[in-house]
Amino acid sequence: MVKTLREMTGAGFNDCRTALQETGGDMDKAADYLRKKGIATAAKKAGRSAEDGIIQTYMHHNGRLGVLVEVNSETDFVARNDSFKAFAKELALHIANLAPRYITREEIPAELAAKEREVLLARTIEEGKPANVAEKIVEGRMAKWYEELALMDQVWLHDDNKKVKEVLTDLIAEIKENIVIRRFARFALGEEESNGA
């Protein structure tokens, strides 16, 4: 069972054994346990400086779409790690496909979010929804809007059960070093620039 859980989660032997002991051998609960533990690990690492890393590129086969993304780690040792490099490569492809404009929702200008909320509220009321219901509907629509614009809120292109921030957290837990998506730029011929710098 430990081996299966390790294959599922990528976590270490002892962590998997402890998770299975803590959850009475339930594989799904053990995976959740490890995820929670990973979140705790990532939180501990978050304040540490990450200035090494890699600049990953993606160029579409027809040369009409390209991405540059900088992913930082604490050491150059981690920057050479296969999991780290695979994440950076998949991240560049993700950005090429989903075209986020910001790294986090906190980077979205407040006036832009306020204007979107105002438009969505007016549209929802125009659809005939009562004001108290409209507010809840707008919250849901704002969540979708953030998901479109903010990289960390987006569903991971390569696994639709996870968001980008969860994939990053899992990688931090696996590597045990702080990892930061510093900035990105996406260029597509004929489109406005998408830049997470």
Side-chain angles (χ1 to χ4, degrees):
M1 286 180 78
V2 172
K3 183 181 177 192
T4 304
L5 185 58
R6 288 191 70 189
E7 289 170 354
M8 279 174 60
T9 64
F13 177 86
N14 288 334
D15 289 337
C16 289
R17 186 176 60 186
T18 302
L20 286 166
Q21 288 170 345
E22 290 292 326
T23 59
D26 185 306
M27 197 66 71
D28 291 334
K29 287 181 180 173
D32 288 343
Y33 174 91
L34 287 169
R35 170 174 246 140
K36 288 173 186 170
K37 187 175 179 197
I39 290 169
T41 302
K44 286 180 193 171
K45 309 288 182 195
R48 292 169 39 174
S49 175
E51 297 178 3
D52 220 301
I54 190 171
I55 295 174
Q56 181 66 49
T57 62
Y58 169 79
M59 179 62 71
H60 200 58
H61 66 88
N62 61 7
R64 298 178 62 86
L65 174 64
V67 169
L68 280 172
V69 59
E70 179 180 349
V71 184
N72 294 141
S73 58
E74 295 177 41
T75 64
D76 64 343
F77 177 76
V78 164
R80 295 192 303 269
N81 177 293
D82 287 342
S83 296
F84 180 85
K85 290 193 289 188
F87 171 74
K89 190 173 181 181
E90 289 179 351
L91 181 63
L93 184 60
H94 173 101
I95 292 168
N97 278 275
L98 296 184
R101 297 192 58 197
Y102 303 91
I103 295 175
T104 65
R105 68 169 58 187
E106 289 76 20
E107 295 174 358
I108 298 173
E111 58 273 15
L112 184 63
K115 186 170 179 62
E116 182 67 17
R117 183 178 296 279
E118 185 182 314
V119 169
L120 289 175
L121 182 60
R123 189 176 84 195
T124 306
I125 289 173
E126 195 170 300
E127 289 169 354
K129 308 294 183 196
N132 61 332
V133 175
E135 285 291 343
K136 291 179 183 172
I137 292 172
V138 167
E139 285 307 315
R141 289 177 174 172
M142 283 299 291
K144 291 293 291 179
W145 182 76
Y146 283 124
E147 199 172 285
E148 288 175 15
L149 268 62
L151 173 65
M152 298 296 264
D153 283 13
Q154 292 184 331
V155 174
W156 185 234
L157 175 69
H158 313 282
D159 180 354
D160 60 9
N161 291 312
K162 293 182 178 179
K163 293 193 171 189
V164 172
K165 59 186 167 191
E166 293 170 324
V167 174
L168 181 62
T169 297
D170 290 348
L171 183 63
I172 292 169
E174 176 192 336
I175 292 178
K176 302 193 183 325
E177 198 172 283
N178 191 20
I179 298 168
V180 176
I181 301 169
R182 177 82 58 201
R183 54 188 164 175
F184 68 84
R186 179 184 181 277
F187 301 94
L189 286 179
E191 287 183 16
E192 190 175 321
E193 179 183 355
S194 174
N195 190 345

